[in-house]
Amino acid sequence: MLTSTLQAYIGDVFLACSEKAFGRQLTEDERKDYAKTWSRWGNPSDENIIALFRRLGINDVFNGLSWQGQSTTTLKKKLRIMNQVRNKIAHGQDIMVDGQPYALTLNSIQGWRRVVQTFGERFEVHALSKIIRD
């Protein structure tokens, strides 16, 4: 559920960044048509998020995004781990991260929730700041 919510949020931020890059808000019909061109971008792993925002000319949307106790590198790693765990659960497989068994705990889930909450508070402003308009 956490990764599904994060995926929808990333899509909303991508749309906001796209509209800033286009210099205008899209109509509802335009949004629907535009979303079809990128809506299947994948689960919210760091690699998939980076690839999505590259469509807007942003090399690494995470560059410079950090907060106390959370470096950009650590954030990317946590998103990658969350995505791997989500994929294993979704496909009914043993939980593995980077090919190694992973013990999913309440503590890790609570930590991910805190990271995602702070990420949600900071990411949109950060991503929007990467869109340069003349």
Side-chain angles (χ1 to χ4, degrees):
M1 295 288 292
L2 188 58
T3 58
S4 294
T5 302
L6 183 59
Q7 186 173 5
Y9 170 72
I10 295 296
D12 289 345
V13 172
F14 181 76
L15 180 58
C17 288
S18 297
E19 289 180 329
K20 182 176 179 185
F22 300 155
R24 67 182 183 88
Q25 282 196 301
L26 301 175
T27 67
E28 194 59 38
D29 287 341
E30 288 173 326
R31 283 182 182 182
K32 288 177 187 176
D33 288 343
Y34 179 58
K36 290 176 188 175
T37 69
W38 56 267
S39 65
R40 305 200 38 80
W41 61 272
N43 294 319
S45 68
D46 61 316
E47 296 94 355
N48 286 346
I49 295 168
I50 289 168
L52 178 64
F53 282 84
R54 278 195 182 129
R55 296 171 187 210
L56 296 175
I58 301 170
N59 187 43
D60 182 350
V61 72
F62 291 104
N63 189 26
L65 178 63
S66 63
W67 55 89
Q68 186 176 6
Q70 187 69 64
S71 70
T72 303
T73 301
T74 302
L75 173 61
K76 288 178 177 181
K77 181 178 179 181
K78 286 180 181 177
L79 291 173
R80 184 180 44 77
I81 290 169
M82 286 173 47
N83 193 59
Q84 287 183 47
V85 169
R86 175 256 174 240
N87 287 343
K88 294 298 182 182
I89 291 170
H91 296 285
Q93 300 170 344
D94 291 337
I95 300 174
M96 308 278 275
V97 171
D98 297 334
Q100 299 296 315
Y102 185 84
L104 185 60
T105 65
L106 178 59
N107 191 43
S108 63
I109 293 169
Q110 289 172 334
W112 293 342
R113 187 179 57 81
R114 285 189 299 273
V115 167
V116 168
Q117 180 175 352
T118 303
F119 178 81
E121 293 167 356
R122 297 170 184 255
F123 183 67
E124 183 173 15
V125 170
H126 174 78
L128 285 167
S129 75
K130 300 222 176 248
I131 304 294
I132 306 299
R133 297 242 342 125
D134 290 335

